[in-house]
Amino acid sequence: MQVADEKSAAKKLSPEQSREAFATLGKQLLAGGKELNEIIGLAALHNKWFTEVNIRTALNAIAENFLDEMLLKKWILAYRIEPSCHPEFIEGGRKLTTPFDSAPDDSPKKIALIMAGNVPLAGFHDLLCVLLTGNHALIKMSSKDKHLLPYLLNQLCIIEPAFHKSYEFVEMLKDFDAVIATGSNNSSRYFEYYFGKYPHIIRKNRNSVAVLTGNETDEQLQRLGKDVFLYFGLGCRNVSKLYVPRGYDFPQLFRALEPFHSIIHHHGYKSNFDYNLTLLIMNGTPYHASDFLMLTENKSLASPLASLHFEYYDTLDDAKAFIQASKDEIQCVVAECEIENSISFGKSQQPQFADYADGIDTVRFLLS
């Protein structure tokens, strides 16, 4: 049996085989089970911000949006990926070949992945892109999220043993061909210094915003609550700022968000709420607040935990101009009005395949 597994692990996977393995993994995640429950519990014990509810939400989003068999097939068909592990991307009839010319044509490229740990499995999409393009992942995990990904990859290798040769977890990155690194603005300077000479994607801090018109229903505003409160607002796809018309009815917003009141029972969230509210009071900063969320007028996109910034606009065109001026700092825009490239309330933490972080097509990067 061991010999058979070794032979299986040595073979090269076609895109179809890779797709089928990931689709099976997705079905297993949705089915759940004792072992998965134990890993979820372990991850929640390790990181106080990774509640079991949030972990399951992340796993279900991955299974439904990234690992669905039909969605996977549709995604892969947008690219021409050869089984030789030397993929090609076709765009407008023009063939774009790999930039990694130093390695043999049939050799997988080693892609260093520096994972973030702000939300559960933050780097899964990058890993999926690396493995589906037939490359080799060198994974440097965040100390905040070190249980979930090893479990998923172990399950993937049980489904398809050939994936054993497609990744490794590392503490020190070396002998790689390209880098995908996600971190803060501070860490990005470090990444640029050490990895700037390699082909790279280096992601910095980004925030998401919402545009309100004052005509939203309570149901729509409740959906907006998911964009604000899921993962305690720690993700780059969480809404941290609102653009609202002058005279906006904040009490209606607070009433609509009341179903999320239980978030204040999380010790870490409450500590941040109390601390940031105290600062506002001591500094004499005007604010609007419920007993679990505060809002302050501020031009900054990034807001402290347990709070949102807001900015008034006079016309919707003004709001669009504000967004355009900050587009390089915005991950996504949620709105129920006509805002270009916006998504509906409640969908910011449900990214699809093509919703590449920072708008950079990771597959295109890996193939071109």
Side-chain angles (χ1 to χ4, degrees), residues 81-144:
I81 303 176
E82 304 297 343
S84 65
C85 293
H86 183 84
E88 299 169 342
F89 180 73
I90 305 299
E91 181 182 40
R94 183 168 63 97
K95 180 162 67 173
L96 306 175
T97 57
T98 175
F100 308 112
D101 297 328
S102 59
D105 285 355
D106 62 349
S107 174
K109 310 308 178 288
K110 292 185 176 181
I111 313 299
L113 295 177
I114 302 176
M115 302 289 197
N118 53 327
V119 300
L121 293 163
F124 184 85
H125 188 274
D126 288 334
L127 176 64
L128 181 63
C129 292
V130 170
L131 297 184
L132 284 179
T133 54
N135 291 302
H136 184 89
L138 302 176
I139 307 167
K140 183 166 179 32
M141 291 193 300
S142 167
S143 60
K144 299 176 182 178

Side-chain angles (χ1 to χ4, degrees), residues 56-104:
R56 292 185 188 280
T57 299
L59 289 170
N60 286 341
I62 286 171
E64 293 173 357
N65 298 331
F66 295 161
L67 303 184
D68 175 83
E69 188 169 6
M70 294 306 297
L71 293 177
L72 269 173
K73 183 176 182 179
K74 181 179 178 181
W75 184 39
I76 290 176
L77 286 177
Y79 304 88
R80 181 179 175 182
I81 303 176
E82 304 297 343
S84 65
C85 293
H86 183 84
E88 299 169 342
F89 180 73
I90 305 299
E91 181 182 40
R94 183 168 63 97
K95 180 162 67 173
L96 306 175
T97 57
T98 175
F100 308 112
D101 297 328
S102 59

Side-chain angles (χ1 to χ4, degrees), residues 100-348:
F100 308 112
D101 297 328
S102 59
D105 285 355
D106 62 349
S107 174
K109 310 308 178 288
K110 292 185 176 181
I111 313 299
L113 295 177
I114 302 176
M115 302 289 197
N118 53 327
V119 300
L121 293 163
F124 184 85
H125 188 274
D126 288 334
L127 176 64
L128 181 63
C129 292
V130 170
L131 297 184
L132 284 179
T133 54
N135 291 302
H136 184 89
L138 302 176
I139 307 167
K140 183 166 179 32
M141 291 193 300
S142 167
S143 60
K144 299 176 182 178
D145 187 6
K146 62 181 185 179
H147 299 289
L148 297 171
L149 192 58
Y151 169 78
L152 294 190
L153 286 174
N154 183 63
Q155 295 303 114
L156 183 66
C157 289
I158 292 174
I159 297 166
E160 177 48 79
F163 275 114
H164 276 295
K165 300 292 185 179
S166 297
Y167 71 91
E168 57 188 293
F169 293 103
V170 298
E171 289 299 321
M172 181 176 295
L173 293 170
K174 58 182 180 179
D175 300 327
F176 51 85
D177 298 294
V179 179
I180 301 176
T182 304
S184 65
N185 288 342
N186 287 333
S187 62
S188 69
R189 288 190 284 269
Y190 166 87
F191 296 153
E192 289 281 2
Y193 178 80
Y194 283 97
F195 305 127
K197 64 182 179 180
Y198 301 94
H200 62 267
I201 296 175
I202 295 177
R203 304 195 180 102
K204 306 176 182 179
N205 286 345
R206 286 214 176 199
N207 295 276
S208 296
V209 303
V211 179
L212 305 181
T213 65
N215 297 319
E216 291 81 13
T217 66
D218 285 351
E219 181 183 355
Q220 288 173 325
L221 293 175
Q222 285 177 12
R223 292 203 303 270
L224 173 63
K226 296 180 181 179
D227 304 317
V228 173
F229 296 111
L230 190 59
Y231 309 126
F232 299 101
L234 293 171
C236 64
R237 297 184 67 87
N238 283 109
V239 167
S240 58
K241 182 171 182 176
L242 308 176
Y243 291 101
V244 298
R246 294 193 186 279
Y248 182 75
D249 182 12
F250 287 105
Q252 182 200 7
L253 175 63
F254 284 123
R255 288 194 300 272
L257 296 179
E258 187 61 29
F260 298 91
H261 176 272
S262 61
I263 196 171
I264 198 65
H265 300 311
H266 184 275
H267 176 72
Y269 185 92
K270 186 178 189 306
S271 295
N272 277 271
F273 178 87
D274 292 342
Y275 175 77
N276 290 314
L277 182 59
T278 300
L279 286 181
L280 293 177
I281 295 171
M282 291 178 62
N283 293 330
T285 304
Y287 65 91
H288 304 270
S290 66
D291 55 359
F292 62 97
L293 179 68
M294 66 200 84
L295 282 75
T296 58
E297 186 175 3
N298 195 309
K299 291 185 178 298
S300 173
L301 294 176
S303 60
L305 195 66
S307 66
L308 293 176
H309 288 164
F310 70 87
E311 192 169 350
Y312 289 115
Y313 65 83
D314 293 310
T315 68
L316 198 56
D317 284 340
D318 292 336
K320 295 176 182 178
F322 295 153
I323 292 170
Q324 178 65 22
S326 302
K327 63 180 181 178
D328 292 337
E329 303 171 57
I330 294 175
Q331 191 66 263
C332 57
V333 179
V334 298
E336 295 293 343
C337 54
E338 293 185 5
I339 300 291
E340 186 178 4
N341 297 324
S342 65
I343 55 179
S344 299
F345 290 166
K347 298 294 186 181
S348 71

